Amino acid sequence: MKLLILGLDGATFDLIRPWTDAGKLPNLARLIQNGVHTDLLSTLPPVTSPAWPSFMTGCNPGKHGVFDFIQPSGASYSLVNSTQIKKPTMWQILSNMGYRVGVLNVPVTYPPQPINGFMITGILSPKQGTICYPQDLISRHQPKLGAYRISPNVQYKPGNEEAYIKDIYDLIHAHGKWAVHLMQHEPVDVLMIHFIALDIMMHALWRLMDSSHPRHTPSPYQNAIQGGYQLVDEYVGQMLDLLPPDAHVITMSDHGFGPLNRIVNLNNFLMEKGFLRLNRKPMTMLKALAFRLGLSPAVIYRLVEKVGLQNIATKVSKNTRNQVLGKFLNYDNVDWGQTVAYSMGHVGQIYLNMVGREPHGIVTQASYKRTRQDIVNALQELRDENGRSLISKIILREETYHGPYADKGPDIHLVLDDYNIIAYPLFATNGRIVTEQIRGDSGCHRREGIVIAHGPQFKQNVPLPISADIIDIAPTIFALLGEAVPEHMDGAVLVDFFKTQPDVTYFDAEQELRESHTLGEAENKQIENRLRDLGYL
């Protein structure tokens, strides 16, 4: 094997550095001490679904076309999948060059693409779908390894920590066992292994670990996240032991992680400022009145907890609560003929209601910049109950996206309280603008992920002071392998990683892509429910 790529979803040096220093993660420590490492900047927003396609293609979302788990369209949205990636992935290009490639569990790879090697798709895969290439790959190895797992089987609810943690650890074991086994029985030149479980458990359990979190409570499970990292580290060690001496290892995450304190109902703010208007239908007016009076599923759930029925409340799954929320105010209640902007997406994305993009768009290209600036000006008034501004940064579309699909991305991206606050992903959870989390998540993404490069061509024991970008990894891999870099890639070869300056050349790697694939209704429902369970919808 020439190259092993380890994808640790959501991994952050904020946790890895103290734990490697304390001897808790010996194998990651070995990679750091004998390699080069730095922060790896994610996409905007720093979300799994645009980040991994950006890594796989070396292109920004404006070129590859994936901006979130969903593609908004006014009152509706569609789920993304691998066929909506509009640029060839490195797996396709390397396969065409004659490399044998293996890809395990990477997000946004369903449906799997034919490659010279094998692929098992990741978190956005339906349970009953064909999730591997070749189609018999899983069935050939399942008798020895047991059923392959895509995602958690247990949803986190306060009170079920033991069952939840056991299930998350089992998910790590499943992906780790499959990775080690396939390394031994399906030899390839380039192999990528992805661990999704770290991201999922940090969303749920951050407050148990972080004594400075506003919702921190002493818990016997305070070391659960560390335990998850240690399990992954053990499998990393097993994989390193299988590599030949001249192999290279790139360890990376799609984004970082940190605490999550509160959420903002951005659509409520847009309503307050007159940018979003509700229709005048009787049911809509009744729902709006209920919200103004404080009657919402979020409030009802909190009341149930306060009167001592929390044991009943915690038996209600997140998915059920989310479905109930959908019965209250939602995008179907919007008067699109009078609405110039709406929010959809959990990090802080605002879309203008554009003519030609949204089904009932009213904002023209001629009025676009003026309208957007009006919204930006109004956002300066987004403050908490103490008058503190919640806006850390406002980023306009053209400042982060470029390419033929850039206009499909959010027109305004907000960084709310340095990502300590996020937006409610769909319409609103209650009638307030700034509110508590109904879901209970206490961790969320940061833009600073990790990259560690280890092997004969890379420098040793070098922390770089300058961050890399996630789109830089793909061109760096081609240079590492001694191949010309596809010229359509936006990223740059990370020449500072190398002991000796690589000779970088470029070539035209464009190729015909697959036709877009629309998931069936049952597949869509499964994936949508999983995204709801994980807090992304």
Side-chain angles (χ1 to χ4, degrees), residues 225-254:
I225 292 174
Q226 182 189 109
Y229 272 81
Q230 289 177 293
L231 270 184
V232 170
D233 187 80
E234 289 175 18
Y235 283 108
V236 169
Q238 292 181 41
M239 287 184 268
L240 294 180
D241 290 344
L242 295 172
L243 291 176
D246 60 346
H248 290 79
V249 183
I250 293 178
T251 306
M252 59 171 293
S253 63
D254 51 336

PDB file of all heavy atoms in Angstrom, residues 225-254:
ATOM      1  N   ILE A 225     -16.198  10.510  25.683  1.00  0.00           N
ATOM      2  CA  ILE A 225     -15.643  10.967  24.404  1.00  0.00           C
ATOM      3  C   ILE A 225     -14.168  10.573  24.297  1.00  0.00           C
ATOM      4  O   ILE A 225     -13.714  10.077  23.263  1.00  0.00           O
ATOM      5  CB  ILE A 225     -15.826  12.495  24.256  1.00  0.00           C
ATOM      6  CG1 ILE A 225     -17.316  12.831  24.096  1.00  0.00           C
ATOM      7  CG2 ILE A 225     -15.036  13.028  23.068  1.00  0.00           C
ATOM      8  CD1 ILE A 225     -17.629  14.313  24.077  1.00  0.00           C
ATOM      9  N   GLN A 226     -13.430  10.767  25.391  1.00  0.00           N
ATOM     10  CA  GLN A 226     -12.039  10.324  25.392  1.00  0.00           C
ATOM     11  C   GLN A 226     -11.943   8.830  25.096  1.00  0.00           C
ATOM     12  O   GLN A 226     -11.076   8.388  24.334  1.00  0.00           O
ATOM     13  CB  GLN A 226     -11.389  10.627  26.736  1.00  0.00           C
ATOM     14  CG  GLN A 226      -9.926  10.253  26.811  1.00  0.00           C
ATOM     15  CD  GLN A 226      -9.377  10.376  28.227  1.00  0.00           C
ATOM     16  OE1 GLN A 226      -9.093   9.384  28.902  1.00  0.00           O
ATOM     17  NE2 GLN A 226      -9.237  11.603  28.692  1.00  0.00           N
ATOM     18  N   GLY A 227     -12.854   8.057  25.671  1.00  0.00           N
ATOM     19  CA  GLY A 227     -12.868   6.616  25.409  1.00  0.00           C
ATOM     20  C   GLY A 227     -13.097   6.295  23.942  1.00  0.00           C
ATOM     21  O   GLY A 227     -12.518   5.345  23.399  1.00  0.00           O
ATOM     22  N   GLY A 228     -13.953   7.081  23.275  1.00  0.00           N
ATOM     23  CA  GLY A 228     -14.176   6.884  21.847  1.00  0.00           C
ATOM     24  C   GLY A 228     -12.921   7.165  21.038  1.00  0.00           C
ATOM     25  O   GLY A 228     -12.554   6.402  20.132  1.00  0.00           O
ATOM     26  N   TYR A 229     -12.232   8.259  21.365  1.00  0.00           N
ATOM     27  CA  TYR A 229     -10.964   8.562  20.696  1.00  0.00           C
ATOM     28  C   TYR A 229      -9.941   7.446  20.935  1.00  0.00           C
ATOM     29  O   TYR A 229      -9.175   7.081  20.031  1.00  0.00           O
ATOM     30  CB  TYR A 229     -10.402   9.887  21.209  1.00  0.00           C
ATOM     31  CG  TYR A 229     -10.878  11.121  20.480  1.00  0.00           C
ATOM     32  CD1 TYR A 229     -12.108  11.698  20.765  1.00  0.00           C
ATOM     33  CD2 TYR A 229     -10.084  11.732  19.516  1.00  0.00           C
ATOM     34  CE1 TYR A 229     -12.536  12.850  20.112  1.00  0.00           C
ATOM     35  CE2 TYR A 229     -10.489  12.883  18.856  1.00  0.00           C
ATOM     36  CZ  TYR A 229     -11.728  13.438  19.156  1.00  0.00           C
ATOM     37  OH  TYR A 229     -12.153  14.575  18.506  1.00  0.00           O
ATOM     38  N   GLN A 230      -9.925   6.914  22.158  1.00  0.00           N
ATOM     39  CA  GLN A 230      -8.960   5.856  22.457  1.00  0.00           C
ATOM     40  C   GLN A 230      -9.246   4.583  21.669  1.00  0.00           C
ATOM     41  O   GLN A 230      -8.321   3.906  21.207  1.00  0.00           O
ATOM     42  CB  GLN A 230      -8.960   5.569  23.962  1.00  0.00           C
ATOM     43  CG  GLN A 230      -8.327   6.682  24.790  1.00  0.00           C
ATOM     44  CD  GLN A 230      -8.412   6.414  26.288  1.00  0.00           C
ATOM     45  OE1 GLN A 230      -9.499   6.411  26.865  1.00  0.00           O
ATOM     46  NE2 GLN A 230      -7.269   6.200  26.924  1.00  0.00           N
ATOM     47  N   LEU A 231     -10.521   4.263  21.487  1.00  0.00           N
ATOM     48  CA  LEU A 231     -10.874   3.105  20.668  1.00  0.00           C
ATOM     49  C   LEU A 231     -10.406   3.296  19.234  1.00  0.00           C
ATOM     50  O   LEU A 231      -9.822   2.387  18.623  1.00  0.00           O
ATOM     51  CB  LEU A 231     -12.392   2.887  20.671  1.00  0.00           C
ATOM     52  CG  LEU A 231     -12.987   1.983  21.739  1.00  0.00           C
ATOM     53  CD1 LEU A 231     -14.489   1.832  21.502  1.00  0.00           C
ATOM     54  CD2 LEU A 231     -12.317   0.612  21.729  1.00  0.00           C
ATOM     55  N   VAL A 232     -10.679   4.480  18.676  1.00  0.00           N
ATOM     56  CA  VAL A 232     -10.225   4.764  17.318  1.00  0.00           C
ATOM     57  C   VAL A 232      -8.707   4.670  17.249  1.00  0.00           C
ATOM     58  O   VAL A 232      -8.139   4.095  16.304  1.00  0.00           O
ATOM     59  CB  VAL A 232     -10.721   6.154  16.857  1.00  0.00           C
ATOM     60  CG1 VAL A 232     -10.043   6.562  15.554  1.00  0.00           C
ATOM     61  CG2 VAL A 232     -12.234   6.156  16.688  1.00  0.00           C
ATOM     62  N   ASP A 233      -8.032   5.205  18.260  1.00  0.00           N
ATOM     63  CA  ASP A 233      -6.563   5.170  18.294  1.00  0.00           C
ATOM     64  C   ASP A 233      -6.047   3.729  18.277  1.00  0.00           C
ATOM     65  O   ASP A 233      -5.032   3.432  17.626  1.00  0.00           O
ATOM     66  CB  ASP A 233      -6.068   5.907  19.537  1.00  0.00           C
ATOM     67  CG  ASP A 233      -4.567   6.067  19.559  1.00  0.00           C
ATOM     68  OD1 ASP A 233      -4.054   6.979  18.890  1.00  0.00           O
ATOM     69  OD2 ASP A 233      -3.884   5.260  20.247  1.00  0.00           O
ATOM     70  N   GLU A 234      -6.738   2.827  18.983  1.00  0.00           N
ATOM     71  CA  GLU A 234      -6.329   1.419  18.972  1.00  0.00           C
ATOM     72  C   GLU A 234      -6.396   0.830  17.570  1.00  0.00           C
ATOM     73  O   GLU A 234      -5.495   0.105  17.137  1.00  0.00           O
ATOM     74  CB  GLU A 234      -7.217   0.611  19.925  1.00  0.00           C
ATOM     75  CG  GLU A 234      -6.967   0.895  21.395  1.00  0.00           C
ATOM     76  CD  GLU A 234      -7.950   0.154  22.293  1.00  0.00           C
ATOM     77  OE1 GLU A 234      -8.571  -0.823  21.810  1.00  0.00           O
ATOM     78  OE2 GLU A 234      -8.102   0.547  23.469  1.00  0.00           O
ATOM     79  N   TYR A 235      -7.468   1.144  16.840  1.00  0.00           N
ATOM     80  CA  TYR A 235      -7.585   0.630  15.472  1.00  0.00           C
ATOM     81  C   TYR A 235      -6.577   1.293  14.546  1.00  0.00           C
ATOM     82  O   TYR A 235      -6.055   0.656  13.618  1.00  0.00           O
ATOM     83  CB  TYR A 235      -9.009   0.802  14.955  1.00  0.00           C
ATOM     84  CG  TYR A 235      -9.956  -0.240  15.522  1.00  0.00           C
ATOM     85  CD1 TYR A 235     -10.911   0.104  16.478  1.00  0.00           C
ATOM     86  CD2 TYR A 235      -9.860  -1.566  15.142  1.00  0.00           C
ATOM     87  CE1 TYR A 235     -11.758  -0.851  17.019  1.00  0.00           C
ATOM     88  CE2 TYR A 235     -10.700  -2.538  15.679  1.00  0.00           C
ATOM     89  CZ  TYR A 235     -11.647  -2.178  16.616  1.00  0.00           C
ATOM     90  OH  TYR A 235     -12.480  -3.128  17.157  1.00  0.00           O
ATOM     91  N   VAL A 236      -6.283   2.576  14.789  1.00  0.00           N
ATOM     92  CA  VAL A 236      -5.229   3.241  14.022  1.00  0.00           C
ATOM     93  C   VAL A 236      -3.915   2.477  14.199  1.00  0.00           C
ATOM     94  O   VAL A 236      -3.192   2.219  13.231  1.00  0.00           O
ATOM     95  CB  VAL A 236      -5.080   4.715  14.454  1.00  0.00           C
ATOM     96  CG1 VAL A 236      -3.802   5.324  13.859  1.00  0.00           C
ATOM     97  CG2 VAL A 236      -6.299   5.529  14.031  1.00  0.00           C
ATOM     98  N   GLY A 237      -3.609   2.078  15.439  1.00  0.00           N
ATOM     99  CA  GLY A 237      -2.397   1.309  15.700  1.00  0.00           C
ATOM    100  C   GLY A 237      -2.364  -0.004  14.945  1.00  0.00           C
ATOM    101  O   GLY A 237      -1.330  -0.383  14.369  1.00  0.00           O
ATOM    102  N   GLN A 238      -3.503  -0.718  14.923  1.00  0.00           N
ATOM    103  CA  GLN A 238      -3.564  -1.979  14.184  1.00  0.00           C
ATOM    104  C   GLN A 238      -3.327  -1.766  12.698  1.00  0.00           C
ATOM    105  O   GLN A 238      -2.658  -2.566  12.039  1.00  0.00           O
ATOM    106  CB  GLN A 238      -4.922  -2.649  14.411  1.00  0.00           C
ATOM    107  CG  GLN A 238      -5.146  -3.146  15.825  1.00  0.00           C
ATOM    108  CD  GLN A 238      -6.496  -3.822  15.985  1.00  0.00           C
ATOM    109  OE1 GLN A 238      -6.931  -4.578  15.107  1.00  0.00           O
ATOM    110  NE2 GLN A 238      -7.183  -3.548  17.083  1.00  0.00           N
ATOM    111  N   MET A 239      -3.869  -0.675  12.157  1.00  0.00           N
ATOM    112  CA  MET A 239      -3.685  -0.406  10.728  1.00  0.00           C
ATOM    113  C   MET A 239      -2.255  -0.005  10.424  1.00  0.00           C
ATOM    114  O   MET A 239      -1.681  -0.425   9.410  1.00  0.00           O
ATOM    115  CB  MET A 239      -4.671   0.674  10.274  1.00  0.00           C
ATOM    116  CG  MET A 239      -6.112   0.175  10.188  1.00  0.00           C
ATOM    117  SD  MET A 239      -7.264   1.420   9.551  1.00  0.00           S
ATOM    118  CE  MET A 239      -7.817   2.168  11.086  1.00  0.00           C
ATOM    119  N   LEU A 240      -1.646   0.806  11.307  1.00  0.00           N
ATOM    120  CA  LEU A 240      -0.257   1.203  11.089  1.00  0.00           C
ATOM    121  C   LEU A 240       0.662  -0.015  11.077  1.00  0.00           C
ATOM    122  O   LEU A 240       1.642  -0.067  10.315  1.00  0.00           O
ATOM    123  CB  LEU A 240       0.190   2.188  12.169  1.00  0.00           C
ATOM    124  CG  LEU A 240      -0.490   3.555  12.201  1.00  0.00           C
ATOM    125  CD1 LEU A 240       0.080   4.410  13.333  1.00  0.00           C
ATOM    126  CD2 LEU A 240      -0.371   4.277  10.875  1.00  0.00           C
ATOM    127  N   ASP A 241       0.349  -0.993  11.912  1.00  0.00           N
ATOM    128  CA  ASP A 241       1.182  -2.203  11.979  1.00  0.00           C
ATOM    129  C   ASP A 241       1.121  -3.027  10.699  1.00  0.00           C
ATOM    130  O   ASP A 241       2.009  -3.856  10.448  1.00  0.00           O
ATOM    131  CB  ASP A 241       0.748  -3.073  13.164  1.00  0.00           C
ATOM    132  CG  ASP A 241       1.110  -2.456  14.510  1.00  0.00           C
ATOM    133  OD1 ASP A 241       1.945  -1.526  14.530  1.00  0.00           O
ATOM    134  OD2 ASP A 241       0.540  -2.880  15.526  1.00  0.00           O
ATOM    135  N   LEU A 242       0.086  -2.823   9.900  1.00  0.00           N
ATOM    136  CA  LEU A 242      -0.071  -3.578   8.650  1.00  0.00           C
ATOM    137  C   LEU A 242       0.580  -2.888   7.454  1.00  0.00           C
ATOM    138  O   LEU A 242       0.648  -3.464   6.364  1.00  0.00           O
ATOM    139  CB  LEU A 242      -1.562  -3.801   8.343  1.00  0.00           C
ATOM    140  CG  LEU A 242      -2.333  -4.687   9.326  1.00  0.00           C
ATOM    141  CD1 LEU A 242      -3.822  -4.667   9.009  1.00  0.00           C
ATOM    142  CD2 LEU A 242      -1.798  -6.115   9.293  1.00  0.00           C
ATOM    143  N   LEU A 243       1.054  -1.654   7.643  1.00  0.00           N
ATOM    144  CA  LEU A 243       1.588  -0.895   6.518  1.00  0.00           C
ATOM    145  C   LEU A 243       3.051  -1.244   6.248  1.00  0.00           C
ATOM    146  O   LEU A 243       3.824  -1.494   7.175  1.00  0.00           O
ATOM    147  CB  LEU A 243       1.498   0.603   6.814  1.00  0.00           C
ATOM    148  CG  LEU A 243       0.095   1.216   6.856  1.00  0.00           C
ATOM    149  CD1 LEU A 243       0.192   2.695   7.249  1.00  0.00           C
ATOM    150  CD2 LEU A 243      -0.607   1.074   5.513  1.00  0.00           C
ATOM    151  N   PRO A 244       3.462  -1.219   4.979  1.00  0.00           N
ATOM    152  CA  PRO A 244       4.895  -1.372   4.672  1.00  0.00           C
ATOM    153  C   PRO A 244       5.662  -0.120   5.097  1.00  0.00           C
ATOM    154  O   PRO A 244       5.074   0.956   5.257  1.00  0.00           O
ATOM    155  CB  PRO A 244       4.894  -1.540   3.142  1.00  0.00           C
ATOM    156  CG  PRO A 244       3.627  -0.909   2.666  1.00  0.00           C
ATOM    157  CD  PRO A 244       2.624  -1.117   3.770  1.00  0.00           C
ATOM    158  N   PRO A 245       6.958  -0.219   5.283  1.00  0.00           N
ATOM    159  CA  PRO A 245       7.744   0.911   5.800  1.00  0.00           C
ATOM    160  C   PRO A 245       7.704   2.158   4.918  1.00  0.00           C
ATOM    161  O   PRO A 245       7.873   3.273   5.419  1.00  0.00           O
ATOM    162  CB  PRO A 245       9.174   0.348   5.871  1.00  0.00           C
ATOM    163  CG  PRO A 245       9.009  -1.128   5.880  1.00  0.00           C
ATOM    164  CD  PRO A 245       7.776  -1.435   5.110  1.00  0.00           C
ATOM    165  N   ASP A 246       7.486   1.993   3.611  1.00  0.00           N
ATOM    166  CA  ASP A 246       7.524   3.148   2.710  1.00  0.00           C
ATOM    167  C   ASP A 246       6.143   3.761   2.488  1.00  0.00           C
ATOM    168  O   ASP A 246       5.985   4.661   1.656  1.00  0.00           O
ATOM    169  CB  ASP A 246       8.135   2.754   1.357  1.00  0.00           C
ATOM    170  CG  ASP A 246       7.355   1.648   0.657  1.00  0.00           C
ATOM    171  OD1 ASP A 246       6.496   0.991   1.316  1.00  0.00           O
ATOM    172  OD2 ASP A 246       7.575   1.440  -0.547  1.00  0.00           O
ATOM    173  N   ALA A 247       5.131   3.305   3.232  1.00  0.00           N
ATOM    174  CA  ALA A 247       3.778   3.842   3.059  1.00  0.00           C
ATOM    175  C   ALA A 247       3.656   5.199   3.740  1.00  0.00           C
ATOM    176  O   ALA A 247       4.393   5.526   4.673  1.00  0.00           O
ATOM    177  CB  ALA A 247       2.746   2.873   3.623  1.00  0.00           C
ATOM    178  N   HIS A 248       2.683   5.981   3.273  1.00  0.00           N
ATOM    179  CA  HIS A 248       2.373   7.281   3.864  1.00  0.00           C
ATOM    180  C   HIS A 248       0.989   7.242   4.502  1.00  0.00           C
ATOM    181  O   HIS A 248       0.119   6.462   4.083  1.00  0.00           O
ATOM    182  CB  HIS A 248       2.436   8.379   2.804  1.00  0.00           C
ATOM    183  CG  HIS A 248       3.821   8.665   2.315  1.00  0.00           C
ATOM    184  ND1 HIS A 248       4.454   7.861   1.384  1.00  0.00           N
ATOM    185  CD2 HIS A 248       4.714   9.646   2.650  1.00  0.00           C
ATOM    186  CE1 HIS A 248       5.678   8.342   1.152  1.00  0.00           C
ATOM    187  NE2 HIS A 248       5.853   9.426   1.906  1.00  0.00           N
ATOM    188  N   VAL A 249       0.803   8.061   5.517  1.00  0.00           N
ATOM    189  CA  VAL A 249      -0.482   8.134   6.218  1.00  0.00           C
ATOM    190  C   VAL A 249      -0.897   9.607   6.316  1.00  0.00           C
ATOM    191  O   VAL A 249      -0.102  10.446   6.770  1.00  0.00           O
ATOM    192  CB  VAL A 249      -0.399   7.538   7.642  1.00  0.00           C
ATOM    193  CG1 VAL A 249      -1.778   7.571   8.310  1.00  0.00           C
ATOM    194  CG2 VAL A 249       0.141   6.117   7.604  1.00  0.00           C
ATOM    195  N   ILE A 250      -2.097   9.906   5.887  1.00  0.00           N
ATOM    196  CA  ILE A 250      -2.680  11.231   6.093  1.00  0.00           C
ATOM    197  C   ILE A 250      -3.901  11.067   6.988  1.00  0.00           C
ATOM    198  O   ILE A 250      -4.838  10.342   6.638  1.00  0.00           O
ATOM    199  CB  ILE A 250      -3.067  11.900   4.762  1.00  0.00           C
ATOM    200  CG1 ILE A 250      -1.815  12.214   3.943  1.00  0.00           C
ATOM    201  CG2 ILE A 250      -3.880  13.172   5.013  1.00  0.00           C
ATOM    202  CD1 ILE A 250      -2.087  12.831   2.589  1.00  0.00           C
ATOM    203  N   THR A 251      -3.870  11.683   8.151  1.00  0.00           N
ATOM    204  CA  THR A 251      -4.975  11.650   9.106  1.00  0.00           C
ATOM    205  C   THR A 251      -5.639  13.019   9.092  1.00  0.00           C
ATOM    206  O   THR A 251      -4.954  14.042   9.204  1.00  0.00           O
ATOM    207  CB  THR A 251      -4.461  11.330  10.521  1.00  0.00           C
ATOM    208  OG1 THR A 251      -3.688  10.127  10.475  1.00  0.00           O
ATOM    209  CG2 THR A 251      -5.608  11.174  11.496  1.00  0.00           C
ATOM    210  N   MET A 252      -6.966  13.044   8.982  1.00  0.00           N
ATOM    211  CA  MET A 252      -7.632  14.324   8.794  1.00  0.00           C
ATOM    212  C   MET A 252      -9.056  14.280   9.333  1.00  0.00           C
ATOM    213  O   MET A 252      -9.622  13.214   9.558  1.00  0.00           O
ATOM    214  CB  MET A 252      -7.683  14.683   7.309  1.00  0.00           C
ATOM    215  CG  MET A 252      -8.407  13.638   6.481  1.00  0.00           C
ATOM    216  SD  MET A 252      -8.699  14.138   4.779  1.00  0.00           S
ATOM    217  CE  MET A 252      -9.868  15.476   4.991  1.00  0.00           C
ATOM    218  N   SER A 253      -9.607  15.468   9.568  1.00  0.00           N
ATOM    219  CA  SER A 253     -11.025  15.582   9.900  1.00  0.00           C
ATOM    220  C   SER A 253     -11.669  16.584   8.955  1.00  0.00           C
ATOM    221  O   SER A 253     -10.990  17.400   8.326  1.00  0.00           O
ATOM    222  CB  SER A 253     -11.230  16.027  11.357  1.00  0.00           C
ATOM    223  OG  SER A 253     -10.694  17.304  11.588  1.00  0.00           O
ATOM    224  N   ASP A 254     -12.979  16.510   8.859  1.00  0.00           N
ATOM    225  CA  ASP A 254     -13.715  17.393   7.957  1.00  0.00           C
ATOM    226  C   ASP A 254     -13.984  18.750   8.584  1.00  0.00           C
ATOM    227  O   ASP A 254     -14.270  19.724   7.881  1.00  0.00           O
ATOM    228  CB  ASP A 254     -15.031  16.747   7.539  1.00  0.00           C
ATOM    229  CG  ASP A 254     -15.848  16.258   8.733  1.00  0.00           C
ATOM    230  OD1 ASP A 254     -15.265  15.995   9.792  1.00  0.00           O
ATOM    231  OD2 ASP A 254     -17.077  16.114   8.594  1.00  0.00           O
TER     232      ASP A 254
END
